[in-house]
Amino acid sequence: SEKYANHDIWLYYWMMKVFANPGEQIIIPFAADGELTLAALMNGSTPTTIEMNESRHDINRDVILEWNRSNYS
């Protein structure tokens, strides 16, 4: 989608590299459109997402499922 064209994911990935260690459990309140979820997965962390909006919750679930499918199949 257009949202990812602005490269926000790399800022979030940098934040994960600086402030979190691989293997850590990361709690992501207000998980939004999955950018922080993906950055945590890219860093080797395990994200726990909290999102009240059902469609955004589904996006984050799909990010995690797709990550697991592509990396563990």
Side-chain angles (χ1 to χ4, degrees):
S1 83
E2 279 302 310
K3 182 166 178 60
Y4 295 103
N6 61 16
H7 306 292
D8 284 344
I9 187 66
W10 299 113
L11 172 63
Y12 297 133
Y13 177 64
W14 174 83
M15 289 171 37
M16 288 293 169
K17 294 296 271 185
V18 171
F19 297 110
N21 295 316
E24 286 185 334
Q25 181 80 27
I26 306 294
I27 298 174
I28 305 172
F30 313 107
D33 291 328
E35 296 97 337
L36 281 170
T37 303
L38 181 58
L41 291 167
M42 291 169 62
N43 187 46
S45 301
T46 304
T48 298
T49 60
I50 302 168
E51 181 56 61
M52 288 181 60
N53 182 298
E54 187 175 346
S55 63
R56 288 183 172 180
H57 167 75
D58 292 343
I59 291 169
N60 281 278
R61 183 198 62 221
D62 292 345
V63 166
I64 293 169
L65 290 173
E66 183 62 25
W67 180 269
N68 290 333
R69 186 191 68 76
S70 65
N71 287 299
Y72 299 110
S73 57

